[in-house]
Every structure is written in structure tokens, then in C-alpha cells.
Amino acid sequence: MLNVKGLLEDIKASPYEEIVIAAPHTGVVEFAGIRPGDKVQGRSGTWKEKPGTVLAHLTREKNRKPLCAPEKGEVVEVHVELEGRFVEAGEPLAVIRHFLTRKEVIELILKKALSLFPAPEKAKYYFVPEIDQKLKVSGKRSVKLRDGMEVFIVSRMKRETVLPYTGPGGIIYSVYFHRGDNVDAGQPLIGVCPEDQLSLIQDVVTKVQSEWEEVE
Amino acid sequence: MPANKHKVLIANRGEIATRIIRACCGLGLDFVSLATAGDLASGHVSLARELGGEKALYRIESYHDANEILSVADAAGATAVHPGYGFFAEDYRFARRTAARDRPLTFIGPSWWAIRDLGDKISTKRIARSLGVPTVPGSDRPVYDELEAEELARALFAFQDEQGVESGCVLVKASAGGGGMGIEEVWNMDRFRSVFRRVRNYAKRHFNDEGVLIEQRILDFNHLEVQIVSERGGRNHVHFGTRNCSIQSLGRQKRIEVAPGFVPGEIGYYFDAAGVLEAITRNSLAMAAEVGYDSVGTWEWIVTPKGEPFLMEVNTRIQVENGVSAAIARLRGEPGVDLVSEHIRLALGEPLGYSQQDLSFEGVGVEYRIVAEDPRERFAPWAGRIERFQWAERPWLTVHSHVPRDAAYDIPMDFDPNLALAIVWGENLAQAKERGKSFLNELVLEGAAAGGGEMRSNIGFLLEKNQNILEF
């Protein structure tokens, strides 16, 4: 039986993560006046369509692009020495301390409760077109899996192979990878909830919702 | 070099980036190189730092991002951009953009319109047909519609049936693909629809274009190439001979390339091999002159067992296998031709400085592509760490590699697992094969997969195929 209370206590002991805001690509940096201690907002809206607080702008090829806070939190560091300079991709620009949301805590705990299907090798993963379509149209929990079902396309070194799902039958409850990302071997791709355990998983969700207090 | 000294941005990675760096240094040009976070262990990174200092290398997010490349060009003060092969090498929009921007850059390659007209397989076919150059039967424009594709495939099967082909085969290819990627064979109509859909999805994912070509598969053919070189302005076309690239992996990836394309002096062919080489060279040169081709490029042909040549496509870039042609080329009787340097020099506006009469060819060159892949598992790419990669230096051997020889190297996941190109020269085919065999037998290649699995490579496959090079 999953010790939800114990897991929650562990997370409460360190309830935040530090997010390094790095230059996603090359360009000239122009900070948006942020300072350590400033509160910032992350993406919001039903589809996360509203961008977070602008932290900086990055300009290249006459394109001035805003660099926004991905999550809500507090600015703890700003590399002001880079103001007006051309930076390379991956250059750290700022650090945000983000306090975990209820939803993130639920995902963390569900990783312990769901049946995880890990990436067998480092590669890019995609859902096969039929499943991809279903996920887009009807959402994650609309896809029912069974052992041996062809679910993923593995793209490695420009070659593609089909990867069948192996594990208990159930519905896709969580997806842990993004299209085009390189996933390391052993990292979970999806979390599957066997149908007979749906109520147990719902209990976990309810418990976390009632016990986790979000930092404003 | 010209009085206005250029600085070349190398928009590529791995082995070709190392060759371009060395060519720039040989020509007295400054350069700047690029690397992504996952590619920092590549030999081109250390070579760039060694020969150009810390400022000769910029970290970028992706080799596929034109904005990234051009912004680095501005920041580094580059005046020319070398796309290498793959990535932007055959992207006419990129070539046009480099020339048309406020701060123009010289694109090291053909003019953008030449890439547009010849870089597309369909457009090439149309130009070739208008000049009476034979091309492979099949669609002459990208097909998007499933029913239209099926109709074309049925017609090709029927045509092969009429020709007396026992079991016909149709190729389904991503129109925007290249280098053997996105190509599948169909042996009967029952499977056609599922293959068409798969290739169309692949094309969409990798090339952002669903266009598919339907072509007749010519079985048991030889894959030949003609190396063309000309100067800016589309003048003074010369050829650097022919190559035979018929030894390929199952995924139609070249693994051994040989120059010249046939050796009628050493091997007996059932057709006039010398005549075929002469015909494809003449036709390639004529087509290059007709369209005003103005750089280094390759005309690719397939030759049937009856000795009939069909033009397949034109590669408007420097090829991986350019070194094997250079190995047998003699300029005014002297060896040491470097087509990578010629490509840069001519693109920057220098005159050719020689004619076809100054070029001759001597001996046989064989290029072996050393790749981390498993021939027993349908050439599946192998990922892991290379612990030792060593070979004995020989006067007849040139090895181009980005794999460090003094440190372990983790093969990146985003690219083909090519490890090295080894070019062997011999006075004749027999000697070249013997030298190739001894090189491959002595080569030390050791590594391990992340899970402790054994290192896989194609060395055994190369040794096996080495025995029958150029036999047809």
C-alpha cells in the first residue's frame, strides 16, 4: 500500500525546485528589469497559452523574442553581467525558485503508484499516429493499452522502429516525455493505471489535494 | 586566396567539419565552428579550439536552426558560410537567404537557383528529360494523394510485368529526403497503401513535407557517380572522374565507394564498361554546362546489368565520398588534390586555374565507411562508448574522423553513428583491395554499450564486401 502521508512529508521537507533559465538559443540578451527577490508568474490558462512573466528578451536575426518564466516562483539570481551581450545557447541567465504546485506533487506521487513504462534506450519517442491522434482529440485517459500493443515510434540516429507496450493493461494516466525530446534509457515514458486500480489512484489524488497547501 | 580575406562559418559537425577546418587553414582562411550541447565531445570541437582558439567555437541549440547559424555568423564576423553535407547543404532557401540579407554572406556551394533546380529530384528529372538524358521511370512530381500514388504504382508494376521482370518492385521515397533516408520497397500492391502512409508520415516528421515519389526499383544495379567541378558564373566545367557506390547497407546507405566507377582493364564486364563511364561523364558535363552549374556537385546514376545508365539525381553539395575521387586525381601529374579546398576556393570566387587536359587519374581509390552498426540486426545503429580507436599510419591511407583517439567517446544519439572514413589508394584494384583488407584487419575499435553490451561495427561487413569490389 502506498504511504501517501510519508511521501508528502518528504516533499514538504524540500518543497521547491530551482529552475535555471538558460538561453534557449544564441542571441543578444536584454533583461526585463528583474532582480533577486522579485515574484514571477508561470504559464497559465487552460492550455498554458498565457506566457509567464517576461524575464529577458533574446534578439537574433532581427527577431526579438521574450524569454518568460516557465513556472511561478521567486527570482534568486540574475546574470546582469550579460546585459547587451551575445550569448551562446545554454548560457545560464537567471535562476527561479519554484514552489511545487498541488498538481506537480500529485504527479510526483503518482509516479510511485502507476505502472511506469520506461524508455528501453536513449532515443526520441513518438506515439504511433493512431494513438497520437486519440490523445490529441480525447485526452490522455482515453487510450486503453494492452500488453504487446504497438504504442511508440522510437527514433534513434534518424532510424525509426515501432516499440510495443509491455506491462499490465490499463489506461494512459500520465505522459512523461515531449515530442522531439531525447529520453534517457530507463526514464519513464508513460504511467499506466490498471482499470481495477482507478479508484485507488483517485484516492491518492484526493488525499494530496486536501493535504498539500500551495505557496501563494 | 582573394585579397579580401574571408572568415568561414562551418555550419556542420563531425568528420566533414574537421575537413573544412583543415581546408580553411590550408587556404589561409579564418573560420568559426559550431557545436550543440550533446556534441561537445566531437573531434571537430577540439580541432576548432586547437587551430582557431576559444573564439573559433560557438555553442548553439541546433544545427538545423538557420537563425542560430546566421546570428553566430554576425557575432563572429564571418563572411562566408560552409554548409558541409546534410543540414542546409541543399536548402536553396537558406542559400538565397545568406546572399539576400543586410549583411550578405557567401554561400559555399552552388547559386541558390542551381540548388532549387537540381537539388529537387523531380525538377532534375524534368531537366534531364528535356536534354534527352535517360532517367528512372516513375512519378515526376511529389505525390500527396493516396489514390494517385496507387494508380502510379499499379502502372509501374504493369510496366515491369510487360518487361518480363519476374517479381516487380516499386520504391516509395520521401520527396524531400536524401542519403537513403525515407525509402521503402514494395513488392506487391497489397502492401502499397500501408508503406505509402508510413513513408508519408516519416517525411512529415523529418522533412516537414509529405510529398512522396513512386519509382520503379531497378534490381541488381550499380550506383555510379560523376564528380563535377566548375567555377562561379557557371563556367569551365571539369570532371574528377567516376565513382562506384554500389556497396550499401540494407537501408541503402553507402558503405564502400570506389574510384573509378568500373575497371574494365582488370574485370571483364558483360557490357562496354568504358563506354558507360564515358557516356555518364559526357551527359553529366553536358547537363552541368546547360544549367550553368557553378560549384562542386555530383551526378548520380544507376546502371542496369545490361549496361543501361539512368540518371537518378544530382547532389548539389560536396559529397561524403569526395576524398576517394581526389585520391586518384592528378593535377598536371601531381597528387594531393583536395576537393574540399577546391569547393571553398571556387565558391569564394577564385578562377578554376586548370582545364580537363590538366587532370588525369591514376590507380584505384577505395573508401570504407566505418560505422557503429550491427549488420546482423539489419544494420541497426549501435549506441555506446568508444574506448579505443586506432590504426597504423600508412603512406597509402587517409583517415578522416571526428572520434577522439586520445579519449573515450560517447556516440551522440541525434546523428548517424559514423565513426570514420578510411581512404585507401592502390596502383590497381587488386592492390587497393589488399591494402584495404590489411587496414581493416589491423583496425582497433573497442567500446561498450551503456548496459554493458558488446561493441558493434560494420568492419566484418566491409571485409566481406571488399572481396568483390567493382564486380558486376
Side-chain angles (χ1 to χ4, degrees), chain B residues 24 36 42-43 76 130 159 180 220 236 257 264 297 329 360 366 395 437 470:
Chain B
C24 286
T36 59
S42 168
S130 72
F159 173 73
D220 303 325
N236 298 330
E257 293 104 337
S360 56
V366 182
K437 187 178 161 188
L470 294 188

Side-chain angles (χ1 to χ4, degrees), chain A residues 175-186:
Chain A
V175 176
Y176 302 116
F177 68 98
H178 294 104
R179 194 183 169 85
D181 282 355
N182 262 321
V183 183
D184 284 327

Side-chain angles (χ1 to χ4, degrees), chain A residues 9-55:
Chain A
E9 288 307 316
D10 287 348
I11 296 171
K12 277 178 186 168
S14 177
Y16 57 82
E17 62 171 333
E18 292 212 327
I19 302 172
V20 176
I21 308 296
H25 52 69
T26 51
V28 176
V29 183
E30 195 187 330
F31 286 103
I34 52 162
R35 291 177 187 170
D38 285 357
K39 296 273 189 286
V40 292
Q41 296 300 317
R43 284 166 299 182
S44 58
T46 313
W47 299 280
K48 298 272 182 192
E49 76 280 13
K50 294 177 190 162
T53 309
V54 176
L55 305 174

Side-chain angles (χ1 to χ4, degrees), chain B residues 263-344:
Chain B
V263 283
E266 280 189 76
I267 293 178
Y269 296 94
Y270 289 108
F271 54 86
D272 175 13
V276 170
L277 295 183
E278 191 278 323
I280 62 172
T281 305
R282 176 171 31 83
N283 274 320
S284 302
L285 272 173
M287 200 167 149
E290 178 68 26
V291 299
Y293 191 73
D294 60 347
S295 184
V296 170
T298 301
W299 265 246
E300 295 206 341
W301 297 79
I302 59 176
V303 177
T304 68
K306 290 181 182 169
E308 300 159 311
F310 294 102
L311 180 71
M312 190 163 51
E313 62 186 41
V314 178
N315 292 147
T316 56
R317 61 168 194 260
I318 190 88
Q319 295 270 105
V320 175
E321 57 271 27
N322 71 80
V324 79
S325 295
I328 64 162
R330 302 290 179 265
L331 179 56
R332 300 186 186 97
E334 294 296 320
V337 172
D338 178 8
L339 287 173
V340 177
S341 295
E342 288 301 279
H343 189 217
I344 298 171

Side-chain angles (χ1 to χ4, degrees), chain B residues 242-263:
Chain B
T242 55
R243 294 187 285 261
N244 191 316
C245 308
S246 305
I247 299 178
Q248 302 184 356
S249 66
L250 282 183
R252 292 168 62 83
Q253 300 288 307
K254 297 168 192 170
R255 289 296 175 258
I256 296 180
E257 293 104 337
V258 193
F262 293 126
V263 283

